[in-house]
Amino acid sequence: LNSLIFPFQDLKERILEFIAVGNLTGGVSGKIILLVGPPGTGKTSVGDAIFFSFFVFVVEVIQLFFFFFFFFF
């Protein structure tokens, strides 16, 4: 996430804070992140960066699962 949305330091901190609170409480319970602003301010880029970060994490977890599953069984 840091390399994908480098200039938005305040936004990165807020997103990480949102994720950390969700992790501590056991979930975000239906809350969403709303990005509001005029055209051309990077809302789509930030959304893409968040999606890509989670997608890479999920793919790595799945690969790790299959590695251990096939290695031990």
Side-chain angles (χ1 to χ4, degrees):
L1 189 63
N2 195 25
S3 64
L4 296 172
I5 52 174
F6 179 73
F8 304 108
Q9 186 64 30
D10 294 337
L11 180 60
K12 285 188 295 189
E13 290 175 4
R14 178 66 183 117
I15 291 170
L16 291 176
E17 184 179 299
F18 178 78
I19 294 169
V21 168
N23 193 15
L24 288 175
T25 60
V28 292
S29 67
K31 295 180 182 172
I32 61 171
I33 298 174
L34 179 65
L35 303 174
V36 179
T41 55
K43 297 179 297 291
T44 303
S45 299
V46 170
D48 289 344
I50 294 169
F51 170 77
F52 182 72
S53 298
F54 280 116
F55 180 75
V56 168
F57 174 73
V58 169
V59 168
E60 288 176 356
V61 169
I62 291 172
Q63 287 175 345
L64 188 64
F65 170 75
F66 280 116
F67 171 75
F68 282 115
F69 180 76
F70 289 118
F71 185 73
F72 289 112
F73 293 108

Short mmCIF file of all heavy atoms in Angstrom, two decimals:
data_model
loop_
_atom_site.label_atom_id
_atom_site.label_comp_id
_atom_site.label_asym_id
_atom_site.label_seq_id
_atom_site.Cartn_x
_atom_site.Cartn_y
_atom_site.Cartn_z
N LEU A 1 0.83 -1.20 0.00
CA LEU A 1 0.00 0.00 0.00
C LEU A 1 0.87 1.25 0.00
O LEU A 1 0.52 2.24 -0.63
CB LEU A 1 -0.92 -0.02 1.21
CG LEU A 1 -2.02 1.02 1.30
CD1 LEU A 1 -2.99 0.84 0.14
CD2 LEU A 1 -2.75 0.90 2.60
N ASN A 2 2.01 1.17 0.64
CA ASN A 2 2.88 2.33 0.73
C ASN A 2 3.43 2.73 -0.62
O ASN A 2 3.52 3.91 -0.94
CB ASN A 2 4.02 2.05 1.71
CG ASN A 2 4.73 3.31 2.12
OD1 ASN A 2 4.16 4.38 2.09
ND2 ASN A 2 5.97 3.17 2.52
N SER A 3 3.80 1.76 -1.45
CA SER A 3 4.38 2.09 -2.74
C SER A 3 3.33 2.50 -3.77
O SER A 3 3.64 3.15 -4.75
CB SER A 3 5.18 0.90 -3.27
OG SER A 3 4.31 -0.19 -3.51
N LEU A 4 2.08 2.12 -3.55
CA LEU A 4 1.04 2.39 -4.54
C LEU A 4 0.40 3.76 -4.38
O LEU A 4 0.02 4.39 -5.36
CB LEU A 4 -0.04 1.31 -4.47
CG LEU A 4 0.44 -0.10 -4.83
CD1 LEU A 4 -0.65 -1.11 -4.54
CD2 LEU A 4 0.85 -0.17 -6.28
N ILE A 5 0.26 4.24 -3.15
CA ILE A 5 -0.34 5.57 -2.93
C ILE A 5 0.59 6.41 -2.07
O ILE A 5 0.25 6.87 -0.99
CB ILE A 5 -1.76 5.47 -2.32
CG1 ILE A 5 -1.78 4.58 -1.08
CG2 ILE A 5 -2.74 4.99 -3.34
CD1 ILE A 5 -3.12 4.57 -0.36
N PHE A 6 1.77 6.66 -2.58
CA PHE A 6 2.81 7.35 -1.82
C PHE A 6 2.42 8.75 -1.37
O PHE A 6 2.65 9.12 -0.22
CB PHE A 6 4.11 7.39 -2.64
CG PHE A 6 5.22 8.10 -1.96
CD1 PHE A 6 5.86 7.51 -0.88
CD2 PHE A 6 5.61 9.36 -2.37
CE1 PHE A 6 6.89 8.16 -0.22
CE2 PHE A 6 6.64 10.02 -1.72
CZ PHE A 6 7.27 9.42 -0.65
N PRO A 7 1.82 9.61 -2.22
CA PRO A 7 1.64 10.99 -1.78
C PRO A 7 0.52 11.21 -0.76
O PRO A 7 0.42 12.28 -0.19
CB PRO A 7 1.32 11.75 -3.07
CG PRO A 7 0.87 10.73 -4.03
CD PRO A 7 1.47 9.44 -3.60
N PHE A 8 -0.31 10.22 -0.49
CA PHE A 8 -1.47 10.40 0.38
C PHE A 8 -1.17 9.88 1.78
O PHE A 8 -1.76 8.91 2.24
CB PHE A 8 -2.68 9.67 -0.19
CG PHE A 8 -3.04 10.08 -1.58
CD1 PHE A 8 -2.82 9.24 -2.65
CD2 PHE A 8 -3.60 11.32 -1.82
CE1 PHE A 8 -3.16 9.61 -3.93
CE2 PHE A 8 -3.94 11.71 -3.11
CZ PHE A 8 -3.72 10.84 -4.17
N GLN A 9 -0.27 10.53 2.50
CA GLN A 9 0.17 10.04 3.80
C GLN A 9 -0.97 10.03 4.82
O GLN A 9 -1.15 9.05 5.55
CB GLN A 9 1.33 10.89 4.33
CG GLN A 9 1.94 10.38 5.60
CD GLN A 9 2.60 9.02 5.42
OE1 GLN A 9 3.08 8.68 4.35
NE2 GLN A 9 2.61 8.24 6.48
N ASP A 10 -1.77 11.09 4.90
CA ASP A 10 -2.88 11.14 5.86
C ASP A 10 -3.92 10.07 5.55
O ASP A 10 -4.45 9.43 6.47
CB ASP A 10 -3.56 12.52 5.83
CG ASP A 10 -2.64 13.62 6.32
OD1 ASP A 10 -1.69 13.30 7.06
OD2 ASP A 10 -2.87 14.77 5.96
N LEU A 11 -4.19 9.87 4.29
CA LEU A 11 -5.17 8.86 3.89
C LEU A 11 -4.67 7.46 4.22
O LEU A 11 -5.43 6.62 4.71
CB LEU A 11 -5.47 8.98 2.40
CG LEU A 11 -6.46 8.00 1.83
CD1 LEU A 11 -7.81 8.14 2.51
CD2 LEU A 11 -6.60 8.21 0.34
N LYS A 12 -3.39 7.20 3.98
CA LYS A 12 -2.82 5.88 4.30
C LYS A 12 -2.94 5.60 5.79
O LYS A 12 -3.30 4.49 6.20
CB LYS A 12 -1.36 5.80 3.87
CG LYS A 12 -1.17 5.65 2.40
CD LYS A 12 0.28 5.38 2.07
CE LYS A 12 1.13 6.56 2.42
NZ LYS A 12 2.51 6.49 1.94
N GLU A 13 -2.63 6.60 6.61
CA GLU A 13 -2.72 6.41 8.06
C GLU A 13 -4.16 6.13 8.49
O GLU A 13 -4.39 5.28 9.34
CB GLU A 13 -2.18 7.64 8.77
CG GLU A 13 -0.68 7.80 8.65
CD GLU A 13 -0.17 9.09 9.27
OE1 GLU A 13 -0.99 9.83 9.86
OE2 GLU A 13 1.03 9.35 9.16
N ARG A 14 -5.11 6.81 7.89
CA ARG A 14 -6.52 6.60 8.24
C ARG A 14 -7.00 5.21 7.82
O ARG A 14 -7.71 4.55 8.56
CB ARG A 14 -7.38 7.70 7.58
CG ARG A 14 -8.83 7.56 7.85
CD ARG A 14 -9.15 7.78 9.33
NE ARG A 14 -10.55 7.58 9.55
CZ ARG A 14 -11.06 6.62 10.33
NH1 ARG A 14 -10.25 5.81 10.98
NH2 ARG A 14 -12.34 6.49 10.48
N ILE A 15 -6.59 4.76 6.65
CA ILE A 15 -6.98 3.43 6.18
C ILE A 15 -6.36 2.36 7.06
O ILE A 15 -7.03 1.40 7.46
CB ILE A 15 -6.57 3.24 4.71
CG1 ILE A 15 -7.42 4.13 3.81
CG2 ILE A 15 -6.72 1.78 4.28
CD1 ILE A 15 -6.95 4.20 2.38
N LEU A 16 -5.09 2.50 7.39
CA LEU A 16 -4.44 1.52 8.27
C LEU A 16 -5.06 1.53 9.67
O LEU A 16 -5.19 0.49 10.30
CB LEU A 16 -2.94 1.79 8.34
CG LEU A 16 -2.17 1.52 7.05
CD1 LEU A 16 -0.71 1.91 7.20
CD2 LEU A 16 -2.29 0.06 6.65
N GLU A 17 -5.46 2.71 10.13
CA GLU A 17 -6.14 2.81 11.42
C GLU A 17 -7.48 2.07 11.37
O GLU A 17 -7.84 1.35 12.30
CB GLU A 17 -6.35 4.28 11.75
CG GLU A 17 -6.96 4.57 13.08
CD GLU A 17 -7.09 6.07 13.28
OE1 GLU A 17 -6.06 6.76 13.28
OE2 GLU A 17 -8.23 6.55 13.41
N PHE A 18 -8.22 2.25 10.28
CA PHE A 18 -9.49 1.57 10.09
C PHE A 18 -9.31 0.05 10.09
O PHE A 18 -10.05 -0.69 10.75
CB PHE A 18 -10.11 2.03 8.76
CG PHE A 18 -11.41 1.37 8.42
CD1 PHE A 18 -12.58 1.76 9.02
CD2 PHE A 18 -11.45 0.36 7.47
CE1 PHE A 18 -13.78 1.16 8.70
CE2 PHE A 18 -12.63 -0.25 7.14
CZ PHE A 18 -13.81 0.16 7.76
N ILE A 19 -8.29 -0.43 9.40
CA ILE A 19 -8.02 -1.87 9.34
C ILE A 19 -7.58 -2.39 10.70
O ILE A 19 -7.99 -3.47 11.13
CB ILE A 19 -6.96 -2.16 8.25
CG1 ILE A 19 -7.54 -1.83 6.88
CG2 ILE A 19 -6.49 -3.60 8.31
CD1 ILE A 19 -6.51 -1.84 5.77
N ALA A 20 -6.75 -1.62 11.41
CA ALA A 20 -6.26 -2.05 12.72
C ALA A 20 -7.40 -2.15 13.73
O ALA A 20 -7.47 -3.11 14.50
CB ALA A 20 -5.19 -1.08 13.22
N VAL A 21 -8.30 -1.18 13.73
CA VAL A 21 -9.44 -1.23 14.65
C VAL A 21 -10.33 -2.42 14.31
O VAL A 21 -10.81 -3.13 15.20
CB VAL A 21 -10.24 0.10 14.61
CG1 VAL A 21 -11.57 -0.03 15.32
CG2 VAL A 21 -9.42 1.21 15.21
N GLY A 22 -10.54 -2.66 13.03
CA GLY A 22 -11.32 -3.83 12.63
C GLY A 22 -10.67 -5.12 13.05
O GLY A 22 -11.34 -6.08 13.46
N ASN A 23 -9.35 -5.17 12.99
CA ASN A 23 -8.62 -6.36 13.40
C ASN A 23 -8.72 -6.57 14.91
O ASN A 23 -8.88 -7.71 15.38
CB ASN A 23 -7.16 -6.24 12.97
CG ASN A 23 -6.41 -7.54 13.08
OD1 ASN A 23 -7.02 -8.59 13.21
ND2 ASN A 23 -5.11 -7.47 12.99
N LEU A 24 -8.64 -5.52 15.68
CA LEU A 24 -8.72 -5.63 17.14
C LEU A 24 -10.12 -6.00 17.61
O LEU A 24 -10.28 -6.73 18.59
CB LEU A 24 -8.28 -4.33 17.80
CG LEU A 24 -6.80 -4.02 17.75
CD1 LEU A 24 -6.52 -2.64 18.33
CD2 LEU A 24 -6.01 -5.07 18.51
N THR A 25 -11.14 -5.48 16.95
CA THR A 25 -12.52 -5.73 17.38
C THR A 25 -13.10 -6.99 16.75
O THR A 25 -14.22 -7.36 17.09
CB THR A 25 -13.42 -4.54 17.04
OG1 THR A 25 -13.41 -4.33 15.63
CG2 THR A 25 -12.96 -3.29 17.75
N GLY A 26 -12.38 -7.61 15.84
CA GLY A 26 -12.86 -8.85 15.24
C GLY A 26 -13.63 -8.65 13.95
O GLY A 26 -14.21 -9.57 13.41
N GLY A 27 -13.68 -7.46 13.41
CA GLY A 27 -14.36 -7.20 12.15
C GLY A 27 -14.77 -5.75 12.06
O GLY A 27 -14.76 -5.02 13.04
N VAL A 28 -15.16 -5.35 10.86
CA VAL A 28 -15.56 -3.96 10.67
C VAL A 28 -17.08 -3.81 10.73
O VAL A 28 -17.59 -2.70 10.67
CB VAL A 28 -15.03 -3.39 9.34
CG1 VAL A 28 -13.53 -3.25 9.40
CG2 VAL A 28 -15.45 -4.23 8.18
N SER A 29 -17.80 -4.88 10.82
CA SER A 29 -19.25 -4.93 11.02
C SER A 29 -20.03 -4.07 10.03
O SER A 29 -20.85 -3.25 10.42
CB SER A 29 -19.62 -4.55 12.45
OG SER A 29 -19.33 -3.20 12.71
N GLY A 30 -19.75 -4.23 8.76
CA GLY A 30 -20.52 -3.57 7.72
C GLY A 30 -20.12 -2.14 7.42
O GLY A 30 -20.79 -1.47 6.65
N LYS A 31 -19.06 -1.65 8.00
CA LYS A 31 -18.62 -0.28 7.72
C LYS A 31 -17.89 -0.24 6.38
O LYS A 31 -17.29 -1.21 5.96
CB LYS A 31 -17.71 0.22 8.82
CG LYS A 31 -18.41 0.35 10.14
CD LYS A 31 -17.49 0.85 11.21
CE LYS A 31 -18.23 0.91 12.53
NZ LYS A 31 -17.35 1.20 13.63
N ILE A 32 -17.95 0.89 5.72
CA ILE A 32 -17.29 1.07 4.44
C ILE A 32 -16.38 2.28 4.50
O ILE A 32 -16.51 3.13 5.39
CB ILE A 32 -18.31 1.22 3.29
CG1 ILE A 32 -19.18 2.45 3.51
CG2 ILE A 32 -19.15 -0.02 3.14
CD1 ILE A 32 -20.05 2.80 2.33
N ILE A 33 -15.49 2.36 3.55
CA ILE A 33 -14.63 3.54 3.41
C ILE A 33 -15.17 4.32 2.22
O ILE A 33 -15.25 3.81 1.11
CB ILE A 33 -13.17 3.12 3.17
CG1 ILE A 33 -12.63 2.35 4.36
CG2 ILE A 33 -12.31 4.35 2.90
CD1 ILE A 33 -11.25 1.78 4.15
N LEU A 34 -15.57 5.55 2.45
CA LEU A 34 -16.12 6.41 1.40
C LEU A 34 -15.08 7.44 1.00
O LEU A 34 -14.59 8.19 1.84
CB LEU A 34 -17.38 7.11 1.92
CG LEU A 34 -18.08 8.05 0.95
CD1 LEU A 34 -18.62 7.28 -0.24
CD2 LEU A 34 -19.20 8.78 1.67
N LEU A 35 -14.72 7.44 -0.27
CA LEU A 35 -13.76 8.40 -0.80
C LEU A 35 -14.52 9.48 -1.56
O LEU A 35 -15.18 9.20 -2.55
CB LEU A 35 -12.77 7.69 -1.73
CG LEU A 35 -12.00 6.52 -1.10
CD1 LEU A 35 -11.17 5.81 -2.14
CD2 LEU A 35 -11.12 7.02 0.03
N VAL A 36 -14.43 10.72 -1.09
CA VAL A 36 -15.17 11.83 -1.67
C VAL A 36 -14.18 12.91 -2.10
O VAL A 36 -13.23 13.21 -1.38
CB VAL A 36 -16.16 12.42 -0.65
CG1 VAL A 36 -16.92 13.59 -1.23
CG2 VAL A 36 -17.12 11.37 -0.15
N GLY A 37 -14.41 13.48 -3.27
CA GLY A 37 -13.57 14.56 -3.73
C GLY A 37 -13.85 14.90 -5.17
O GLY A 37 -14.56 14.18 -5.86
N PRO A 38 -13.29 16.00 -5.64
CA PRO A 38 -13.51 16.39 -7.03
C PRO A 38 -12.81 15.43 -7.99
O PRO A 38 -11.95 14.66 -7.59
CB PRO A 38 -12.90 17.80 -7.10
CG PRO A 38 -11.98 17.89 -5.96
CD PRO A 38 -12.49 16.97 -4.91
N PRO A 39 -13.20 15.48 -9.26
CA PRO A 39 -12.57 14.60 -10.25
C PRO A 39 -11.06 14.85 -10.34
O PRO A 39 -10.59 15.97 -10.24
CB PRO A 39 -13.25 14.98 -11.57
CG PRO A 39 -14.52 15.64 -11.18
CD PRO A 39 -14.28 16.28 -9.85
N GLY A 40 -10.33 13.76 -10.51
CA GLY A 40 -8.89 13.87 -10.70
C GLY A 40 -8.07 13.94 -9.44
O GLY A 40 -6.89 14.29 -9.50
N THR A 41 -8.65 13.62 -8.29
CA THR A 41 -7.89 13.71 -7.04
C THR A 41 -7.34 12.37 -6.58
O THR A 41 -6.72 12.30 -5.52
CB THR A 41 -8.75 14.31 -5.92
OG1 THR A 41 -9.95 13.54 -5.79
CG2 THR A 41 -9.10 15.75 -6.23
N GLY A 42 -7.57 11.29 -7.32
CA GLY A 42 -6.95 10.01 -7.01
C GLY A 42 -7.81 9.03 -6.24
O GLY A 42 -7.29 8.09 -5.66
N LYS A 43 -9.11 9.22 -6.23
CA LYS A 43 -10.00 8.31 -5.49
C LYS A 43 -9.93 6.89 -6.06
O LYS A 43 -9.81 5.93 -5.32
CB LYS A 43 -11.44 8.82 -5.52
CG LYS A 43 -11.65 10.16 -4.86
CD LYS A 43 -13.07 10.63 -4.94
CE LYS A 43 -13.55 10.86 -6.35
NZ LYS A 43 -12.96 11.98 -7.05
N THR A 44 -9.99 6.78 -7.38
CA THR A 44 -9.94 5.46 -8.01
C THR A 44 -8.58 4.82 -7.80
O THR A 44 -8.49 3.61 -7.57
CB THR A 44 -10.26 5.59 -9.51
OG1 THR A 44 -11.53 6.20 -9.65
CG2 THR A 44 -10.28 4.24 -10.17
N SER A 45 -7.53 5.59 -7.86
CA SER A 45 -6.18 5.05 -7.63
C SER A 45 -6.04 4.49 -6.22
O SER A 45 -5.44 3.44 -6.01
CB SER A 45 -5.13 6.14 -7.86
OG SER A 45 -5.18 6.60 -9.17
N VAL A 46 -6.60 5.18 -5.25
CA VAL A 46 -6.55 4.71 -3.87
C VAL A 46 -7.36 3.43 -3.72
O VAL A 46 -6.91 2.46 -3.10
CB VAL A 46 -7.06 5.80 -2.91
CG1 VAL A 46 -7.24 5.25 -1.51
CG2 VAL A 46 -6.10 6.97 -2.89
N GLY A 47 -8.56 3.39 -4.31
CA GLY A 47 -9.37 2.17 -4.26
C GLY A 47 -8.68 1.01 -4.91
O GLY A 47 -8.70 -0.12 -4.40
N ASP A 48 -8.05 1.23 -6.06
CA ASP A 48 -7.31 0.17 -6.74
C ASP A 48 -6.14 -0.31 -5.89
O ASP A 48 -5.85 -1.51 -5.83
CB ASP A 48 -6.79 0.67 -8.08
CG ASP A 48 -7.89 0.86 -9.11
OD1 ASP A 48 -9.01 0.33 -8.89
OD2 ASP A 48 -7.63 1.54 -10.12
N ALA A 49 -5.45 0.62 -5.23
CA ALA A 49 -4.30 0.24 -4.40
C ALA A 49 -4.75 -0.61 -3.21
O ALA A 49 -4.09 -1.59 -2.86
CB ALA A 49 -3.57 1.48 -3.92
N ILE A 50 -5.87 -0.24 -2.58
CA ILE A 50 -6.38 -1.02 -1.45
C ILE A 50 -6.78 -2.41 -1.92
O ILE A 50 -6.44 -3.41 -1.30
CB ILE A 50 -7.57 -0.30 -0.80
CG1 ILE A 50 -7.11 1.01 -0.15
CG2 ILE A 50 -8.25 -1.19 0.23
CD1 ILE A 50 -8.23 1.90 0.30
N PHE A 51 -7.50 -2.49 -3.04
CA PHE A 51 -7.90 -3.79 -3.57
C PHE A 51 -6.69 -4.64 -3.90
O PHE A 51 -6.63 -5.82 -3.55
CB PHE A 51 -8.77 -3.61 -4.82
CG PHE A 51 -9.02 -4.89 -5.55
CD1 PHE A 51 -9.94 -5.80 -5.05
CD2 PHE A 51 -8.33 -5.18 -6.70
CE1 PHE A 51 -10.17 -6.99 -5.71
CE2 PHE A 51 -8.55 -6.38 -7.37
CZ PHE A 51 -9.47 -7.29 -6.88
N PHE A 52 -5.71 -4.06 -4.58
CA PHE A 52 -4.52 -4.82 -4.97
C PHE A 52 -3.76 -5.32 -3.75
O PHE A 52 -3.27 -6.46 -3.73
CB PHE A 52 -3.61 -3.95 -5.85
CG PHE A 52 -2.40 -4.66 -6.34
CD1 PHE A 52 -2.50 -5.63 -7.32
CD2 PHE A 52 -1.16 -4.37 -5.81
CE1 PHE A 52 -1.37 -6.29 -7.77
CE2 PHE A 52 -0.03 -5.03 -6.25
CZ PHE A 52 -0.13 -5.98 -7.24
N SER A 53 -3.67 -4.50 -2.69
CA SER A 53 -2.96 -4.92 -1.48
C SER A 53 -3.64 -6.11 -0.83
O SER A 53 -2.98 -7.08 -0.44
CB SER A 53 -2.90 -3.76 -0.49
OG SER A 53 -2.19 -2.69 -1.02
N PHE A 54 -4.97 -6.06 -0.72
CA PHE A 54 -5.69 -7.19 -0.13
C PHE A 54 -5.65 -8.41 -1.04
O PHE A 54 -5.55 -9.53 -0.57
CB PHE A 54 -7.14 -6.81 0.18
CG PHE A 54 -7.28 -6.03 1.44
CD1 PHE A 54 -7.73 -4.73 1.42
CD2 PHE A 54 -6.95 -6.58 2.66
CE1 PHE A 54 -7.86 -3.99 2.56
CE2 PHE A 54 -7.07 -5.86 3.83
CZ PHE A 54 -7.52 -4.57 3.78
N PHE A 55 -5.73 -8.20 -2.35
CA PHE A 55 -5.71 -9.31 -3.29
C PHE A 55 -4.38 -10.05 -3.21
O PHE A 55 -4.35 -11.28 -3.17
CB PHE A 55 -5.96 -8.81 -4.71
CG PHE A 55 -5.95 -9.89 -5.75
CD1 PHE A 55 -7.03 -10.75 -5.86
CD2 PHE A 55 -4.88 -10.04 -6.60
CE1 PHE A 55 -7.03 -11.75 -6.81
CE2 PHE A 55 -4.87 -11.04 -7.55
CZ PHE A 55 -5.94 -11.89 -7.65
N VAL A 56 -3.28 -9.32 -3.16
CA VAL A 56 -1.96 -9.94 -3.05
C VAL A 56 -1.85 -10.73 -1.75
O VAL A 56 -1.35 -11.85 -1.72
CB VAL A 56 -0.85 -8.88 -3.16
CG1 VAL A 56 0.50 -9.45 -2.76
CG2 VAL A 56 -0.80 -8.31 -4.56
N PHE A 57 -2.36 -10.17 -0.65
CA PHE A 57 -2.33 -10.86 0.64
C PHE A 57 -3.13 -12.15 0.58
O PHE A 57 -2.67 -13.20 1.03
CB PHE A 57 -2.87 -9.95 1.74
CG PHE A 57 -2.99 -10.63 3.07
CD1 PHE A 57 -1.87 -10.93 3.81
CD2 PHE A 57 -4.23 -10.99 3.56
CE1 PHE A 57 -1.98 -11.57 5.03
CE2 PHE A 57 -4.36 -11.63 4.77
CZ PHE A 57 -3.23 -11.91 5.51
N VAL A 58 -4.33 -12.11 0.01
CA VAL A 58 -5.18 -13.30 -0.07
C VAL A 58 -4.53 -14.37 -0.94
O VAL A 58 -4.53 -15.55 -0.60
CB VAL A 58 -6.59 -12.93 -0.59
CG1 VAL A 58 -7.40 -14.16 -0.93
CG2 VAL A 58 -7.32 -12.09 0.44
N VAL A 59 -3.95 -13.97 -2.06
CA VAL A 59 -3.29 -14.93 -2.94
C VAL A 59 -2.11 -15.57 -2.22
O VAL A 59 -1.90 -16.78 -2.33
CB VAL A 59 -2.85 -14.25 -4.25
CG1 VAL A 59 -1.91 -15.14 -5.04
CG2 VAL A 59 -4.06 -13.88 -5.09
N GLU A 60 -1.34 -14.80 -1.46
CA GLU A 60 -0.21 -15.37 -0.73
C GLU A 60 -0.69 -16.37 0.33
O GLU A 60 -0.07 -17.41 0.52
CB GLU A 60 0.60 -14.26 -0.08
CG GLU A 60 1.39 -13.45 -1.06
CD GLU A 60 2.12 -12.28 -0.43
OE1 GLU A 60 1.94 -12.05 0.78
OE2 GLU A 60 2.85 -11.59 -1.14
N VAL A 61 -1.78 -16.07 1.02
CA VAL A 61 -2.31 -16.99 2.02
C VAL A 61 -2.79 -18.28 1.35
O VAL A 61 -2.53 -19.38 1.85
CB VAL A 61 -3.47 -16.32 2.82
CG1 VAL A 61 -4.20 -17.34 3.66
CG2 VAL A 61 -2.92 -15.20 3.68
N ILE A 62 -3.46 -18.18 0.22
CA ILE A 62 -3.93 -19.37 -0.49
C ILE A 62 -2.76 -20.20 -0.97
O ILE A 62 -2.76 -21.43 -0.84
CB ILE A 62 -4.85 -18.96 -1.67
CG1 ILE A 62 -6.15 -18.39 -1.13
CG2 ILE A 62 -5.11 -20.14 -2.59
CD1 ILE A 62 -7.03 -17.78 -2.19
N GLN A 63 -1.73 -19.57 -1.51
CA GLN A 63 -0.55 -20.30 -1.95
C GLN A 63 0.12 -21.00 -0.77
O GLN A 63 0.56 -22.16 -0.89
CB GLN A 63 0.44 -19.37 -2.62
CG GLN A 63 0.00 -18.90 -3.98
CD GLN A 63 0.96 -17.88 -4.58
OE1 GLN A 63 1.79 -17.31 -3.88
NE2 GLN A 63 0.82 -17.64 -5.86
N LEU A 64 0.21 -20.34 0.35
CA LEU A 64 0.81 -20.95 1.54
C LEU A 64 -0.01 -22.15 2.00
O LEU A 64 0.55 -23.19 2.36
CB LEU A 64 0.92 -19.90 2.65
CG LEU A 64 1.69 -20.30 3.90
CD1 LEU A 64 3.14 -20.57 3.55
CD2 LEU A 64 1.59 -19.21 4.93
N PHE A 65 -1.33 -22.02 1.98
CA PHE A 65 -2.20 -23.12 2.37
C PHE A 65 -1.97 -24.33 1.47
O PHE A 65 -1.81 -25.46 1.95
CB PHE A 65 -3.67 -22.69 2.32
CG PHE A 65 -4.63 -23.83 2.48
CD1 PHE A 65 -4.84 -24.40 3.72
CD2 PHE A 65 -5.29 -24.35 1.38
CE1 PHE A 65 -5.72 -25.47 3.87
CE2 PHE A 65 -6.17 -25.40 1.52
CZ PHE A 65 -6.38 -25.96 2.76
N PHE A 66 -1.97 -24.11 0.16
CA PHE A 66 -1.79 -25.23 -0.76
C PHE A 66 -0.40 -25.84 -0.63
O PHE A 66 -0.23 -27.05 -0.76
CB PHE A 66 -2.07 -24.81 -2.20
CG PHE A 66 -3.53 -24.77 -2.52
CD1 PHE A 66 -4.15 -23.58 -2.85
CD2 PHE A 66 -4.29 -25.93 -2.47
CE1 PHE A 66 -5.49 -23.55 -3.13
CE2 PHE A 66 -5.64 -25.90 -2.76
CZ PHE A 66 -6.24 -24.71 -3.09
N PHE A 67 0.61 -25.02 -0.37
CA PHE A 67 1.95 -25.54 -0.19
C PHE A 67 1.99 -26.50 1.00
O PHE A 67 2.48 -27.63 0.89
CB PHE A 67 2.96 -24.41 0.03
CG PHE A 67 4.32 -24.89 0.42
CD1 PHE A 67 5.15 -25.46 -0.52
CD2 PHE A 67 4.76 -24.79 1.72
CE1 PHE A 67 6.41 -25.93 -0.16
CE2 PHE A 67 6.02 -25.23 2.09
CZ PHE A 67 6.83 -25.80 1.15
N PHE A 68 1.45 -26.08 2.16
CA PHE A 68 1.47 -26.94 3.33
C PHE A 68 0.54 -28.15 3.16
O PHE A 68 0.85 -29.24 3.61
CB PHE A 68 1.08 -26.16 4.58
CG PHE A 68 2.18 -25.32 5.12
CD1 PHE A 68 2.09 -23.95 5.12
CD2 PHE A 68 3.34 -25.91 5.60
CE1 PHE A 68 3.13 -23.17 5.60
CE2 PHE A 68 4.38 -25.15 6.09
CZ PHE A 68 4.28 -23.77 6.09
N PHE A 69 -0.57 -27.96 2.48
CA PHE A 69 -1.50 -29.07 2.27
C PHE A 69 -0.85 -30.16 1.44
O PHE A 69 -0.92 -31.35 1.79
CB PHE A 69 -2.78 -28.56 1.58
CG PHE A 69 -3.79 -29.64 1.35
CD1 PHE A 69 -4.56 -30.13 2.40
CD2 PHE A 69 -3.95 -30.17 0.09
CE1 PHE A 69 -5.48 -31.12 2.20
CE2 PHE A 69 -4.88 -31.18 -0.13
CZ PHE A 69 -5.65 -31.65 0.93
N PHE A 70 -0.22 -29.80 0.33
CA PHE A 70 0.39 -30.81 -0.54
C PHE A 70 1.72 -31.31 0.00
O PHE A 70 2.14 -32.42 -0.31
CB PHE A 70 0.55 -30.27 -1.95
CG PHE A 70 -0.73 -30.11 -2.69
CD1 PHE A 70 -1.17 -28.89 -3.11
CD2 PHE A 70 -1.54 -31.23 -2.92
CE1 PHE A 70 -2.37 -28.75 -3.79
CE2 PHE A 70 -2.74 -31.11 -3.58
CZ PHE A 70 -3.16 -29.87 -4.02
N PHE A 71 2.39 -30.51 0.82
CA PHE A 71 3.67 -30.92 1.36
C PHE A 71 3.50 -31.97 2.46
O PHE A 71 4.28 -32.93 2.56
CB PHE A 71 4.43 -29.70 1.90
CG PHE A 71 5.82 -30.01 2.36
CD1 PHE A 71 6.83 -30.28 1.47
CD2 PHE A 71 6.12 -30.04 3.71
CE1 PHE A 71 8.11 -30.57 1.88
CE2 PHE A 71 7.39 -30.32 4.16
CZ PHE A 71 8.40 -30.59 3.23
N PHE A 72 2.48 -31.81 3.30
CA PHE A 72 2.30 -32.71 4.45
C PHE A 72 1.36 -33.85 4.17
O PHE A 72 1.28 -34.79 4.95
CB PHE A 72 1.82 -31.92 5.66
CG PHE A 72 2.90 -31.03 6.24
CD1 PHE A 72 2.77 -29.65 6.16
CD2 PHE A 72 4.02 -31.56 6.81
CE1 PHE A 72 3.76 -28.83 6.68
CE2 PHE A 72 5.02 -30.75 7.32
CZ PHE A 72 4.87 -29.38 7.25
N PHE A 73 0.58 -33.78 3.10
CA PHE A 73 -0.38 -34.87 2.84
C PHE A 73 -0.10 -35.58 1.57
O PHE A 73 0.41 -35.42 0.67
CB PHE A 73 -1.81 -34.33 2.81
CG PHE A 73 -2.26 -33.82 4.12
CD1 PHE A 73 -2.42 -32.47 4.37
CD2 PHE A 73 -2.54 -34.69 5.17
CE1 PHE A 73 -2.85 -31.99 5.57
CE2 PHE A 73 -2.96 -34.23 6.39
CZ PHE A 73 -3.12 -32.87 6.59
#
